[in-house]
Amino acid sequence: MPSDMRVPRLLRVREVEKLTGIERWRLYEMFKRAEGPPYMRIGATIRVPADSLVKWIEQQTSKTEE
């Protein structure tokens, strides 16, 4: 693995809930509809890369400003 490779922090759904204020049940619904932040499955769990969450929030913000 290259030494300059950076692995993003993977957030649990509970952490995403605290950071965004979006309730967990709503996040799961958004994941099902492909409307929420990008996520990945690791076994039975869902993880959201922190970098992807920031980008998703920025995209949502720019949509509301137009």
Side-chain angles (χ1 to χ4, degrees):
M1 184 170 7
S3 62
D4 62 339
M5 184 176 172
R6 192 178 69 78
V7 178
R9 182 163 185 265
L10 299 177
L11 304 170
R12 297 172 186 252
V13 176
R14 213 176 275 265
E15 293 173 295
V16 175
E17 175 186 32
K18 287 180 183 178
L19 290 169
T20 63
I22 302 170
E23 296 181 34
R24 275 187 299 157
W25 69 269
R26 173 82 61 199
L27 287 167
Y28 286 116
E29 287 297 316
M30 292 171 80
F31 294 144
K32 284 181 191 175
R33 296 180 183 152
E35 298 172 352
Y39 69 95
M40 60 191 308
R41 283 198 174 272
I42 301 176
T45 63
I46 290 178
R47 296 289 187 261
V48 176
D51 295 348
S52 296
L53 178 62
V54 170
K55 287 178 188 172
W56 179 78
I57 291 170
E58 289 171 351
Q59 290 171 346
Q60 302 310 305
T61 304
S62 64
K63 285 181 183 177
T64 59
E65 291 177 355
E66 293 177 358

